[in-house]
Amino acid sequence: MINKYIDLANYAFNYAQEKEIEYVEVRLESNVRDTIAFINGNLHIGNLPIDLSEDAFTRKRGINIRTIADCGLGMSSTNTLSQQSLKDTVDQAYKNAKRKLQWKISN
């Protein structure tokens, strides 16, 4: 299963290399949490009879893209893991890196 996400991370990396990017970093994150609780001596797994958490079983995955272009740093992330979403995320990170900051010095 993780190979699918590694393939998507590689896809994002390869897509980013097609742009005028000096540096690209693709970070895949996967968080897993399972809640098991004893309440009044009874074992509860998953959906608890009282609200201790929003979701006792969570599986969260996402990809963070960092780029350097024209000496600017750009970042963007998504938890929608599709090729189109990753293209959009790379494009946004690239656009963020290309933005020129204009500093105004007042007297």
Side-chain angles (χ1 to χ4, degrees):
M1 182 72 142
I2 194 70
N3 288 337
K4 172 185 172 184
Y5 301 111
I6 291 172
D7 289 344
L8 284 170
N10 284 328
Y11 175 83
F13 182 81
N14 292 331
Y15 177 72
Q17 287 187 317
E18 296 173 7
K19 299 184 173 297
E20 296 174 5
I21 292 177
E22 299 154 26
Y23 172 84
V24 63
E25 175 183 307
V26 178
R27 180 178 295 224
L28 170 64
E29 293 190 27
S30 179
N31 297 313
V32 176
R33 183 182 78 199
D34 296 335
T35 302
I36 299 173
F38 282 92
I39 301 173
N40 295 329
N42 296 317
L43 174 65
H44 296 277
I45 300 174
N47 296 325
L48 303 175
I50 59 176
D51 187 21
L52 294 179
S53 65
E54 291 179 10
D55 186 7
F57 294 107
T58 60
R59 307 288 185 271
K60 296 179 183 177
R61 293 180 181 87
I63 288 185
N64 181 339
I65 310 288
R66 296 179 190 174
T67 61
I68 295 176
D70 290 342
C71 297
L73 175 64
M75 293 182 262
S76 189
S77 63
T78 184
N79 62 357
T80 304
L81 300 178
S82 67
Q83 287 186 349
Q84 185 58 52
S85 176
L86 292 175
K87 280 175 126 178
D88 295 343
T89 303
V90 168
D91 291 342
Q92 186 62 49
Y94 177 66
K95 180 179 174 183
N96 292 343
K98 297 281 285 183
R99 279 196 180 128
K100 302 292 184 197
L101 294 178
Q102 295 182 7
W103 296 90
K104 292 185 180 180
I105 299 174
S106 58
N107 295 335

